[in-house]
Amino acid sequence: MRWRWLSLLALLLAAPAAAQPDGAALYAQHCAACHGGERLGGMGPALLPENMGRLRPAQAATVIAQGRAATRMPGFADQLSPPEIEALAAHIFRPAPANLRWDAAEIEASRQVLAPPERLPARPVFDADPLNLFLVVETGDHHVTVLDGDRFAPIHRFPTRPALHGGPKFSPDGRFTYLMSRDGWVTKYDIHGLQPVAEVRVGINSRNLALSSDGRFVAVANYLPRSLVLLDAGDLSVKRVIPAVALRGGATSRVSAVYDARPRRSFVVAMKDIPEIWEVSYDDNAPPVFTGLVHNYEKGMVEGLAASQGLFALRRIAVEEPLDDFMFDPAYRHLLGSAREGKTVVVNLTVGRPVAEVPLEGLPHLGSGITWTQDGRRLLATPNLRRPEVSVIDMADWKVAARIPTDGPGFFLRSHERTPYAWTDSMMGGPGARDTIQVIDKRSLEVVRRLRPAPGRTAAHVEFTRDGRYALVSVWEDDGAVVVYDAESLAEVTRLPMRKPSGKYNVFNKITLSEGTSH
Ligand code: DHE
């Protein structure tokens, strides 16, 4: 009897533990068709850690189990067990394949011309001022609404790639817009013809795009792979892929953002991981780069002073720490950038070095900063992602001129030449703050009115009509709205239902570089 018990125990100990679900195999069976065999995306978004944003594995497991509303992502709870779902969630957080390539060849292979120039209409196919249109990016169900800014009526609504990020950019005449998704898709869209023109995938995880002021080139900042991509703005064909590699030591960097610097005829590029700011000229006759050393990627070597010139000449400005969020003064002579630990630095682009430090605490969101002139002083104001204030800086001496208390940390700030007010949100604050837009008087530097477009629901992102008479505010919810206010009386004029309208962009204000909006 004793032997029988002992052999049963031995059998139990020898039995293999319950097999762990194989995340990779489950991915291949259930996910690869939409999200791509290598997790690089397809009909669905890329599933790599860099592309997850703030989503954590536990939240990813919930999405896998229940699906995502208003998308094609179904729930798998009735097909997969909880351990299988967990294994899948763990699998999609594994690092990107080491041999990941997304170079000129891959980019070019993804490119499609959807409407060749001869198929584009000679004039707008709608009856509205084409310069007073708004593009409203609705991230709730991945669409853009083209809104008539005089009648506040939608003209058209079209689907976009999932998760557009950053402001759409406009051709100098306002006819075309360029949209970018976090998955690296760039779409060129004909606003007059209301149709997509071309599309290309420039990266696996991208940050934002810029259009050269002459309308010839699109530049895209990538986190994955770590590169800056330059495209022909006509058909989106690749002009140049520049790997983001430090001048010294060969360290690579994520590229945080790229901006057009119109008077300089260059793109200015923010690096996340290396203490350099790049300036890439789009002037065919760019004079030799006099400041700093240059890395000539075509020759694959570092060259000395004045070695790079002409189209895409690359200049590097050394800074103490990476500056990955910045804004410019109106003449593009200086940039104001935030380093880690909250240090804000002023870099003179002409001489190519930092010239001042601004004592700002928290995390100023300089990408949303605006400027205006008051009593002969040029002032710059920025919201703060961590502190409940809008900071105002006097650009003559880079000193803090005012700290305007707000209800909570904010993300966006907007104004217009023809209004005395600047509008900001508190969307990074608590439930009692997130629903409030604060109207700041640019003369007294005080909050003079609080607006609650939908009490209890997040309010953020303002944009003005081309004449500055009306301000459009987002109720930033899936069943949200764009609420139109009279910019003088601050009374509500109308509201239009929208699906999480993350941002709205007025064609005229953008192409004229209105001082109250982002560029
Ligand atoms: Fe943005 C613009 C960076 C998170 C909505 N955001 C920008 C720009 C940068 C930037 C550099 C300017 C690019 C441009 O317009 O060309 N954003 C970052 C971040 O580093 C951050 C904090 C983290 C991240 O995951 O990237 C971040 N951004 C967000 C969001 O979570 C927001 C609120 C929702 C979303 O859609 O992802 C968001 N960002 C926006 C919007 C703009 C933007 C709507 C365009 C603002 C404009 O009016 O021009």
Side-chain angles (χ1 to χ4, degrees):
M1 186 68 177
R2 191 162 163 252
W3 285 115
R4 266 227 237 121
W5 276 113
L6 278 179
S7 37
L8 191 60
L9 190 65
L11 261 178
L12 279 175
L13 287 175
Q20 291 293 315
D22 180 345
L26 288 165
Y27 179 88
Q29 188 184 345
H30 298 282
C31 319
C34 292
H35 296 280
E38 301 283 329
R39 292 184 284 143
L40 302 186
M43 198 167 58
L47 295 178
L48 297 168
E50 290 84 352
N51 294 58
M52 298 296 176
R54 291 187 213 119
L55 199 74
R56 301 281 145 249
Q59 295 161 305
T62 308
V63 176
I64 296 168
Q66 297 170 8
R68 224 189 235 296
T71 71
R72 284 186 235 168
M73 172 70 191
F76 287 85
D78 53 351
Q79 297 176 51
L80 301 174
S81 67
E84 287 175 323
I85 288 174
E86 258 175 53
L88 258 181
H91 179 74
I92 62 178
F93 277 86
R94 288 177 49 205
N99 56 355
L100 175 73
R101 277 180 63 89
W102 204 265
D103 282 335
E106 288 79 12
I107 297 173
E108 195 50 33
S110 72
R111 186 169 71 93
Q112 280 188 61
V113 173
L114 304 161
E118 62 277 11
R119 286 230 324 261
L120 304 181
R123 55 186 60 82
V125 297
F126 49 82
D127 172 27
D129 174 1
L131 294 185
N132 196 25
L133 299 176
F134 287 83
L135 295 192
V136 186
V137 174
E138 295 180 69
T139 49
D141 64 349
H142 314 297
H143 277 70
V144 164
T145 289
V146 183
L147 187 69
D148 176 347
D150 291 309
R151 300 183 191 107
F152 301 120
I155 291 174
H156 185 59
R157 194 168 189 269
F158 61 91
T160 67
R161 293 277 169 180
L164 293 190
H165 182 239
K169 302 300 181 302
F170 297 90
S171 57
D173 59 359
R175 168 151 195 177
F176 298 103
T177 186
Y178 296 83
L179 310 162
M180 190 217 73
S181 77
R182 286 189 187 259
D183 269 1
W185 283 98
V186 173
T187 306
K188 176 177 178 179
Y189 189 84
D190 174 22
I191 301 176
H192 291 190
L194 300 176
Q195 59 183 331
V197 174
E199 217 176 22
V200 67
R201 189 174 192 186
V202 295
I204 305 302
N205 184 237
S206 301
R207 301 288 299 159
N208 82 321
L209 63 75
L211 182 71
S212 60
S213 59
D214 57 10
R216 291 196 300 158
F217 304 109
V218 176
V220 188
N222 278 338
Y223 265 8
L224 192 67
R226 298 176 166 211
S227 61
L228 179 78
V229 178
L230 296 155
L231 305 172
D232 182 307
D235 60 4
L236 301 186
S237 56
V238 187
K239 301 299 287 185
R240 186 78 58 93
V241 178
I242 308 181
V245 184
L247 180 63
R248 292 190 185 83
T252 61
S253 177
R254 291 166 288 175
V255 183
S256 288
V258 52
Y259 299 100
D260 173 60
R262 180 181 291 199
R264 309 178 66 83
R265 297 183 54 74
S266 65
F267 293 116
V268 180
V269 186
M271 295 290 172
K272 182 98 180 158
D273 307 298
I274 58 175
E276 293 180 12
I277 291 164
W278 285 10
E279 185 168 19
V280 178
S281 177
Y282 53 77
D283 186 339
D284 292 312
N285 304 309
V289 179
F290 289 114
T291 315
L293 297 168
V294 277
H295 190 143
N296 187 325
Y297 286 97
E298 278 187 345
K299 293 190 192 154
M301 57 191 280
V302 174
E303 296 171 325
L305 285 176
S308 182
Q309 66 186 90
L311 189 62
F312 304 144
L314 169 61
R315 172 189 181 208
R316 295 158 186 265
I317 297 174
V319 283
E320 213 176 297
E321 290 178 69
L323 301 179
D324 68 343
D325 180 23
F326 51 63
M327 68 171 291
F328 302 92
D329 65 10
Y332 287 84
R333 242 177 257 125
H334 296 94
L335 71 74
L336 212 72
S338 44
R340 283 166 205 144
E341 311 306 330
K343 196 156 83 176
T344 301
V345 181
V346 182
V347 176
N348 181 313
L349 290 168
T350 312
V351 299
R353 64 182 166 77
V355 290
E357 249 182 57
V358 187
L360 290 179
E361 289 96 41
L363 188 58
H365 193 213
L366 295 167
S368 291
I370 58 168
T371 66
W372 69 86
T373 304
Q374 182 64 40
D375 301 328
R377 294 194 301 170
R378 192 81 194 168
L379 299 176
L380 176 159
T382 167
N384 196 303
L385 296 170
R386 293 212 191 114
R387 283 169 68 99
E389 71 171 46
V390 165
S391 325
V392 184
I393 295 156
D394 187 329
M395 297 177 75
D397 56 9
W398 303 110
K399 296 234 160 70
V400 178
R403 295 177 195 278
I404 306 169
T406 56
D407 292 0
F411 211 95
F412 302 108
L413 178 66
R414 278 290 204 276
S415 188
H416 189 280
E417 289 80 351
R418 290 160 82 170
T419 170
Y421 303 125
W423 299 44
T424 192
D425 60 85
S426 291
M427 75 179 286
M428 309 301 282
R434 277 204 292 269
D435 61 356
T436 308
I437 295 289
Q438 286 120 111
V439 181
I440 294 168
D441 191 317
K442 293 191 281 188
R443 298 156 297 189
S444 65
L445 303 182
E446 283 170 355
V447 173
V448 290
R449 185 76 81 83
R450 288 183 162 70
L451 301 168
R452 285 197 173 76
R457 323 199 74 203
T458 303
H461 201 278
V462 180
E463 180 82 306
F464 288 80
T465 46
R466 65 177 283 183
D467 57 8
R469 284 184 60 198
Y470 299 95
L472 281 65
V473 178
S474 288
V475 175
W476 194 302
E477 306 279 350
D478 193 28
D479 57 344
V482 163
V483 184
V484 182
Y485 288 92
D486 182 308
E488 199 180 324
S489 69
L490 308 183
E492 181 176 329
V493 174
T494 186
R495 63 177 61 204
L496 305 150
M498 300 264 174
R499 303 286 299 272
K500 202 169 189 186
S502 70
K504 61 206 82 61
Y505 308 88
N506 179 276
V507 176
F508 182 83
N509 293 344
K510 293 294 177 198
I511 63 175
T512 57
L513 302 191
S514 162
E515 67 179 16
T517 192
S518 58
H519 310 129

